Amino acid sequence: MSEKTTVAGVAVDTRHWIGGERVASAGTFTDVSPIDGTVLAEVARGTAAEAGAAVAAATAAFPAWAATPRAERARLLHAIADGVEKRLDELANVETADNGALLRSHRRGVMPRVAHNFRFFADWLLQLEHEDFETRGHSNHVSWDPAGPCVLITPWNAPLMLATWKVAPALAAGNTVVLKPAEWSPLTASLLADIAAEAGLPAGVLNVVQGYGSEIGDALTSHPGVRRISFTGSVPTARRIAASAAAALTPLSLELGGKSPLLVFADADLDLAVDLAVEQYDNAGQVCLAATRILVEEPVAEEFTRRLTEKASRLRQGDPRDEATDIGPNIHPRQLEKIDGFVRRAVASGARVVFGGAPNTRLGGLFYLPTLLTGVAQDSEIVQEEVFGPVLTLQTFRTEDEAVRLANDTRFGLAATLATGDPARTERVTARLVAGTVWVNCFFVRDLRAPFGGSRHSGVGREGGTWSFDFYCDLKNTVTAPKGWLSHG
């Protein structure tokens, strides 16, 4: 196979990165752009052999990296961030071609956030500490010890940002990493390997392997030498990973799907509430945090729906490389078929299409129209299951209790968004919502100091700030007797 491909004018190596070297596989898989169906690359298709080699490289590199002083680890993470910023436009162009998200978003928000991920955890590492405390004159000292090789499995909807959200704290903690990107969008992970090597990261500290979960993922997650597994993706895949990791009792962090609500009360600023609703079409609806279930208090439901319909009609769908585009394509034909299947079944069950409801036939390809459905039952598939596309449902409620009941009535609990002008109501409702993150009169405000994760089937564990180090480290408490004190047991 060809060792490199050129995407948007950028040379991308399509081989694995293992132990500081490029490694080919006997087979490849085809990576296709969702924008126009162009074949971008034939990518190395890893197997259990490459999984084993990557874990071996990470294992060999671990002792030296774990012993590297915090200040030097932080310096190298900052150097990686420098490299990301130097190649920001290249990374943005490649990722847009690979996963179809808006180029303007990649340039202005996503790729700067990639660099910030490294800088934040580098700086957090340097101030990570727990105040010593006493027990009957004995001192207690808490420390964060590097755990070992980590397997990080990342999704296709925000490939590099979500990968580095895991890579940065794992490396900062003194661990070595095997990163397995999604096969639908693997290219910027390969570029990250180049950037890390250029920054001086020692060989084997970061390894990148590509391929299908059934062929390389299982070999990684079941490997007894792996000490942490972090995964972002679907609930069914998480179940398989958890089962695979069970034999070695490998600790897991799982950030899974969502079916988040947007609660709009009659006292809300309706224009703000409509803006929040329209934001849920971002990235063609391929956002795990998206508030896809809109719950509106009855007195304002008709006016809210009118304003939402009018504003959504102004969204521009098209080529994500165009600065004027608001919504790009969905990632893959299978994803488009899944989205359309959800909508068709909902309509067949009695749902009413307010707008959208079908693929965009004018554009063809993988473009699905922004969609709003009403007349949906609470126990229906479209309300209970994650669509992961530009499809929202709208239901009404009469009381605060009913709003909370509907909001919590799914198996998920990733996020919730609340639109209200009443501070007392805010306090009451947010206290009762089952969600890892609740936004009030805002959406998608993320601070790396805050805990992030989901409740119920939306995940296991929390990451961010010290919570990330708690996961990626073995916490140790050292208890020391006072000087001159002798214990006889």
Side-chain angles (χ1 to χ4, degrees), residues 244-288:
S244 180
L249 294 178
T250 308
L252 298 166
S253 176
L254 305 173
E255 196 267 281
L256 309 178
K259 196 67 181 177
S260 302
L262 164 57
L263 291 78
V264 180
F265 285 90
D267 57 23
D269 178 331
L270 275 197
D271 286 334
L272 170 65
V274 167
D275 288 344
L276 293 173
V278 171
E279 277 193 71
Q280 312 312 314
Y281 293 121
D282 184 51
N283 201 20
Q286 298 168 143
V287 178
C288 58

Side-chain angles (χ1 to χ4, degrees), residues 268-436:
D269 178 331
L270 275 197
D271 286 334
L272 170 65
V274 167
D275 288 344
L276 293 173
V278 171
E279 277 193 71
Q280 312 312 314
Y281 293 121
D282 184 51
N283 201 20
Q286 298 168 143
V287 178
C288 58
L289 293 161
T292 56
R293 294 185 297 127
I294 304 175
L295 307 174
V296 187
E297 195 167 0
E298 281 189 1
V300 296
E302 184 176 346
E303 177 63 14
F304 175 89
T305 304
R306 185 191 68 77
R307 295 191 197 185
L308 175 57
T309 301
E310 195 277 328
K311 182 146 192 167
S313 71
R314 299 200 300 267
L315 292 172
R316 179 170 174 176
Q317 191 167 30
D319 191 323
R321 296 165 294 194
D322 186 334
E323 281 282 316
T325 296
D326 298 307
I327 300 178
N330 291 99
I331 183 76
H332 192 276
R334 289 215 312 262
Q335 189 65 18
L336 188 79
E337 291 167 8
K338 175 186 171 186
I339 295 164
D340 194 42
F342 270 111
V343 173
R344 285 188 286 102
R345 290 191 297 273
V347 172
S349 298
R352 183 175 72 87
V353 177
V354 179
F355 55 80
N360 189 327
T361 55
R362 180 180 61 83
L363 294 175
L366 300 180
F367 294 88
Y368 201 88
L369 291 168
T371 296
L372 178 66
L373 303 177
T374 60
V376 293
Q378 180 61 25
D379 61 355
S380 64
E381 178 192 56
I382 197 69
V383 170
Q384 294 293 325
E385 298 298 328
E386 186 177 41
V387 178
F388 222 60
V391 178
L392 308 181
T393 60
L394 189 150
Q395 299 165 272
T396 62
F397 62 85
R398 295 180 180 178
T399 66
E400 192 174 290
D401 285 345
E402 184 183 13
V404 172
R405 179 181 62 78
L406 292 172
N408 289 339
D409 187 22
T410 75
R411 62 194 173 104
F412 297 103
L414 186 56
T417 303
L418 174 64
T420 180
D422 184 344
R425 171 175 281 133
T426 296
E427 186 174 346
R428 290 193 305 271
V429 172
T430 57
R432 298 171 64 191
L433 292 174
V434 178

